[in-house]
Amino acid sequence: ALPPLVVTVWLLGQMNTIAAGSFPAEQYVWSPQLGLDLLLRLDGLALFFGLIITGIGAAIALYTGYYFAGNPRLGYFYGLLFLFMASMLGLVWADNLLLLFVFWEGTSLTSYLLIAFKLEDSKALEGARRALITTGLGALAMLGGMVLLAQMAGTYTLSAILTQPASQFTDHALYPAALLLILLGAFTKSAQFPFHFWLPGAMAAPTPASAYLHSATMVKAGIYLLARLHPALSDSPLWFWSLLSVGGITMLLGAITALRHYDLKAILAYATVSQLGVLVFLLALPSEKALIAVVVGILAHALYKGPLFLVAGILDHATGTRDIRQLAGLARAVPWVTATAILAGVSMASFPPFFGFLAKEMLLESFYQFAEKGNPIVGWLGVAAVVVSGAFFVAYSLTLLWEPFFRRQAPTNDPGNDAAPVHHPPEFVL
């Protein structure tokens, strides 16, 4: 956990500098003919994502040592984990569109190797290939959109693009093509409908990889891209309706589908799909409150979903199964794990006073405000969709807590469905 902790401390030391309006930057000329510079810039959004990447990464790195204790390939996994972490940091710090694409592909390749870490597991290999193909094709579309965006702006430098008036892009003839291509890249990376199918399949990855890639980092790359380009591209009906419809469908589909599964990681996967839909749903709105709600939602999701993935891995490690039909009465056997699951679960269910409640409250306020001051029909439909998805959030959050930890016996009389015993209790070594 030392390397990400060092970067986290350095980032925390930059907070006052950035708050004062000074953004550290480094530039190295790579290919001036192509407009490709190694230009890294640390502003508020990059700092926020960087702290999540390294902060959650430090916890995952610590957990990995327990999860893979005695595994001869532990060093290889750590190498992949830190390469992925470096790619994610490069992605959020890149101030050049082409450099951002390079790091974007770096996350795709390293995530493929992390998901396929268990070479003997055919499901892991299939899930890794599906994720790589889906996100890779989306990335190629995104590259085309970035080239068109640079042609409209006259530069590949992101900070320069964002200082130009939005009308320079939205009134341009290339805008629809550029926007749709960029949205394809963002939607595939962040598992939006109809590209959401790759994320549940990637749950065959080892739990540390799932917890890191699918709660705090990789799946947030598309959200980051949309948030980064929001000032330049959002002032148009095409942006609004694309994000509103895709995000809304994804939010509802993921929440409803989560209740159909019995595997802990599958439930968490579809819950992640739903939360990613929530963030895209919010990014459709033009208000400052909605953008603040996106930031709060990203942080809340990382803080509760990461621990829940780790809890799923601990239970799998301790009992040999993640099937909630075979997990029962574990509260006394693993009290600290139970306490962690309760804190994270009630936050995911959006119960006060937890951070998840604040995120859901700001989500509702954003659409209520849009109904009052913007489009009443769309605003109230948005409120209704959020309420429905929120009900499912509560249902599967309580399911994740009740079934493994507090249920007394299996729900059927099938002898093969008896509760799994704890044969390998978790050890916590500081």
Side-chain angles (χ1 to χ4, degrees):
L2 184 60
L5 278 177
V6 171
V7 181
T8 302
V9 172
W10 178 79
L11 287 172
L12 290 172
Q14 302 298 315
M15 291 182 67
N16 290 334
T17 302
I18 293 173
S22 178
F23 305 132
E26 293 289 339
Q27 182 175 12
Y28 303 93
V29 177
W30 185 354
S31 177
Q33 294 82 4
L34 296 176
L36 182 58
D37 295 338
L38 291 175
L39 181 57
L40 303 175
R41 183 171 182 265
L42 189 64
D43 60 6
L45 186 63
L47 175 67
F48 171 69
F49 273 90
L51 286 171
I52 290 178
I53 292 165
T54 56
I56 301 295
I60 298 299
L62 185 64
Y63 172 83
T64 297
Y66 156 76
Y67 188 84
F68 284 116
N71 191 314
R73 301 179 71 213
L74 174 60
Y76 173 67
F77 187 88
Y78 269 127
L80 293 178
L81 185 69
F82 291 142
L83 279 174
F84 174 83
M85 192 180 302
S87 297
M88 275 299 306
L89 288 173
L91 191 157
V92 299
W93 292 349
D95 196 30
N96 180 287
L97 288 173
L98 296 180
L99 183 61
L100 189 153
F101 172 77
V102 171
F103 284 118
W104 185 283
E105 288 295 77
T107 64
S108 296
L109 292 173
T110 50
S111 65
Y112 167 79
L113 295 173
L114 284 168
I115 296 170
F117 180 76
K118 299 178 182 178
L119 298 176
E120 70 283 358
D121 188 343
S122 60
K123 290 184 178 180
L125 295 176
E126 177 61 28
R129 281 194 293 266
R130 186 178 299 172
L132 181 63
I133 291 171
T134 305
T135 59
L137 291 176
L140 292 176
M142 182 189 72
L143 177 61
M146 287 178 168
V147 172
L148 294 179
L149 180 61
Q151 295 304 308
M152 290 187 282
T155 178
Y156 281 94
T157 304
L158 260 172
S159 55
I161 291 173
L162 298 178
T163 60
Q164 299 180 16
S167 59
Q168 179 170 335
F169 305 104
T170 55
D171 294 342
H172 201 285
L174 294 176
Y175 172 78
L179 178 61
L180 290 176
L181 289 171
I182 290 173
L183 289 182
L184 275 175
F187 288 167
T188 53
K189 197 76 163 182
S190 289
Q192 297 298 293
F193 175 85
F195 309 107
H196 64 286
F197 59 86
W198 70 263
L199 181 55
M203 289 299 109
T207 296
S210 297
Y212 193 48
L213 273 63
H214 305 138
S215 68
T217 53
M218 178 184 173
V219 294
K220 300 287 177 56
I223 305 299
Y224 166 80
L225 181 64
L226 294 176
R228 175 62 77 189
L229 296 178
H230 188 278
L233 303 180
S234 62
D235 191 20
S236 77
L238 182 59
W239 171 283
F240 176 80
W241 290 111
S242 297
L243 270 65
L244 191 77
S245 56
V246 172
I249 292 172
T250 306
M251 175 182 68
L252 291 169
L253 180 64
I256 294 170
T257 308
L259 279 177
R260 297 176 54 196
H261 291 270
Y262 299 105
D263 184 286
L264 285 172
K265 286 177 70 175
I267 297 171
L268 293 173
Y270 281 104
T272 298
V273 168
S274 182
Q275 181 60 33
L276 293 170
V278 167
L279 298 174
V280 172
F281 201 41
L282 273 169
L283 283 166
L285 302 181
S287 67
E288 182 180 348
K289 182 180 287 291
L291 296 179
I292 296 174
V294 169
V295 172
V296 174
I298 290 170
L299 182 58
H301 181 253
L303 292 178
Y304 66 67
K305 190 59 64 63
L308 286 173
F309 270 115
L310 299 185
V311 166
I314 291 173
L315 294 185
D316 187 16
H317 210 264
T319 65
T321 182
R322 297 194 304 263
D323 192 328
I324 59 175
R325 295 169 296 183
Q326 298 179 21
L327 295 171
L330 295 177
R332 291 185 177 180
V334 285
W336 289 107
V337 176
T338 304
T340 302
I342 291 173
L343 291 174
V346 295
S347 182
M348 183 166 69
S350 305
F351 290 166
F354 296 94
F355 206 42
F357 169 76
L358 178 61
K360 187 59 61 68
E361 182 71 13
M362 296 191 70
L363 170 64
L364 285 167
E365 284 185 8
S366 297
F367 277 93
Y368 176 78
Q369 184 183 72
F370 189 71
E372 291 290 308
K373 300 180 181 180
N375 188 318
I377 297 176
V378 174
W380 286 115
L381 284 176
V383 170
V386 171
V387 171
V388 171
S389 69
F392 282 97
F393 267 57
V394 173
Y396 60 67
S397 298
L398 296 182
T399 298
L400 287 171
L401 296 178
W402 175 259
E403 294 292 327
F405 299 107
F406 300 106
R407 180 170 56 85
R408 294 298 182 101
Q409 57 185 3
T412 71
N413 295 321
D414 183 2
N417 203 31
D418 292 337
V422 177
H423 60 77
H424 182 70
E427 300 175 2
F428 299 94
V429 181
L430 299 179

